Amino acid sequence: MNHQLSIEELRYYSRQIRLKQIGISGQLKLKQASVLVIGVGGLGCPALMYLASAGVGHIGLLDNDIVSLSNLHRQSLFQYADLGRLKVDCAAEKLQSSNPFIQIEKYPIYFNADCAHILKQYDVIVDATDNFSSKYLLNDLCQQLYKPLIYASIDQFAGQLAVFKNKEFHKSANLRHIFPTQPPDHLVMSCNTAGVLGVLPGILGTYQAAEALKLILNINEPENKLYLFDVLGNKLRSINIDIHSEIQSQHPTLQQPGACQNINIANQMTACTLKTWLIEARKFYLVDIRERDEYDELAFTAATFIHDIDSEAFIHTDIHPIVLYCSTGKRSINQFEYFRSIFPNHPIYMLKDGLFGYLDEGYSFGIDGSSVVAHYTTLNH
């Protein structure tokens, strides 16, 4: 890579170069730097936009996902015409067209421990992943490789941000100083589960880009702090991270993403399978276990609404399969064992990713309910 700035680059970055903390020497630092963004979604899109426009010379994009309709309200690099395309391909095109002076590397792969050799190639890593399995694995890899990591996490109207310097083992904070052990994935609410205000990842992703730029430029040495954002109450506060607290182990065992997601996997029904059952007019109970207001807003026309799951009167004596569903699949998992205990003779399934997952697959809810044993009932004690 050319380590000088062309006249065009000087013009492109002119407003940034005027900052006394940057100047031409700082802009050259950015040009010679490399940043890997893992996850090209709600956090990754704004982070990438500002890293690219700031002139980070080598940017890596790691994500194996494709653009879906539900991404567009918050993932600002994508448009309707991008649906079905790889996110890394769409993002790389947009970033390269906005700044032709940088190099972009695409990794359309699933993030796992085998990606360590990719992390080694970059100066700074940005955690734009959307699940704790990936976050803990990335945290542990960066710690072992001494790679600075810009961490962020979002939930509905709130977010978290931290910079893990990882210069020396146990000399700076990391994720396990805040949350020592990884929570089971089925107990953690994701954007798909809990929802998110679209501007929130935009704010946090922009902050991640700012922290990465400051690291590269050596502006304001990051402190061991966790920053907490609340866009609903317009609050920002920070708490100190105790780096002397005991963590689970000195060198954590690397755990592959998704390792905690195999709970009752054989009893999870995909949207495609449910669609097939409905089309084939199979006999089964389709049970909505949400609250009444949720059912009234949106539901399968063929579903039985369970107002009181303590009652079992709605289940007929015929031993038909029971398919539980909620909005995103989490409550179905939580209720699965209960239903299995009171209906031991019925095959019981949970709709994977719930009603909204079914919607994301492009299927219709307005299906003739003649194949389903019961349509609607409010249970009595």
Side-chain angles (χ1 to χ4, degrees), residues 4-282:
Q4 300 299 318
L5 297 174
S6 67
I7 295 298
E8 285 183 289
E9 287 175 288
L10 288 171
R11 289 171 178 163
Y12 188 104
Y13 305 119
S14 63
R15 298 301 186 270
Q16 186 167 281
I17 289 173
R18 295 179 191 188
L19 293 169
K20 65 179 182 179
Q21 295 90 340
I22 298 181
I24 292 179
S25 61
Q27 195 62 53
L28 282 170
K29 282 184 181 179
L30 293 174
K31 183 173 183 176
Q32 296 162 13
S34 59
V35 176
L36 176 65
V37 177
I38 300 182
V40 186
L43 292 168
C45 283
L48 285 165
M49 288 170 59
Y50 284 103
L51 291 170
S53 61
V56 173
H58 185 194
I59 299 176
L61 288 65
L62 196 156
D63 196 313
N64 72 331
D65 200 7
I66 62 173
V67 180
S68 65
L69 191 60
S70 62
N71 298 151
L72 299 185
H73 97 288
R74 67 192 183 284
Q75 299 181 16
S76 49
L77 282 174
F78 310 129
Q79 299 172 343
Y80 199 90
D82 296 322
L83 295 179
R85 297 184 61 203
L86 280 168
K87 289 184 176 181
V88 293
D89 288 343
C90 299
E93 288 176 8
K94 304 288 195 319
L95 298 173
Q96 200 73 77
S97 66
S98 68
N99 189 347
F101 307 112
I102 62 175
Q103 295 180 1
I104 297 176
E105 190 78 26
K106 298 181 294 183
Y107 304 97
I109 58 177
Y110 181 72
F111 174 66
N112 57 34
D114 295 334
C115 296
H117 72 284
I118 299 175
L119 272 64
K120 289 179 181 179
Q121 303 172 35
Y122 290 85
D123 301 322
V124 179
I125 313 298
V126 173
D127 175 7
T129 61
D130 62 359
N131 64 84
F132 271 105
S133 295
S134 294
K135 289 186 181 299
Y136 275 83
L137 173 61
L138 182 55
N139 173 81
D140 297 345
L141 282 173
C142 287
Q143 193 181 12
Q144 293 184 10
L145 296 171
Y146 305 108
K147 293 289 182 179
L149 176 65
I150 316 298
Y151 159 83
S153 181
I154 56 175
D155 176 28
Q156 300 182 66
F157 296 95
Q160 301 176 348
L161 177 80
V163 178
F164 304 141
K165 293 175 289 185
N166 292 327
K167 288 183 177 179
E168 295 179 44
F169 198 78
H170 284 340
K171 293 290 179 72
S172 66
N174 71 81
L175 183 60
R176 293 185 184 274
H177 285 116
I178 307 169
F179 309 110
T181 58
Q182 177 185 325
D185 279 358
H186 72 284
L187 296 181
V188 178
M189 302 286 275
S190 67
C191 291
N192 290 341
T193 305
V196 63
L197 185 67
V199 299
L200 178 66
I203 294 169
L204 271 293
T206 301
Y207 263 93
Q208 285 183 289
E211 294 300 329
L213 295 174
K214 289 192 294 182
L215 275 178
I216 294 167
L217 294 167
N218 269 333
I219 299 175
N220 288 0
E221 181 75 7
E223 301 173 325
N224 290 323
K225 290 183 179 293
L226 177 69
Y227 295 91
L228 305 174
F229 295 76
D230 173 11
V231 297
L232 200 59
N234 286 330
K235 296 176 183 177
L236 169 62
R237 62 190 182 94
S238 65
I239 58 176
N240 294 322
I241 303 172
D242 182 6
I243 64 172
H244 302 295
S245 64
E246 294 185 6
I247 56 178
Q248 193 171 18
S249 62
Q250 290 195 336
H251 291 278
T253 301
L254 298 181
Q255 184 177 32
Q256 297 287 1
C260 298
Q261 297 176 350
N262 294 325
I263 296 176
N264 298 316
I265 191 69
N267 298 95
Q268 288 191 352
M269 176 176 287
T270 65
C272 181
T273 300
L274 176 58
K275 174 73 171 180
T276 300
W277 279 29
L278 290 167
I279 291 174
E280 293 178 351
R282 296 197 186 189

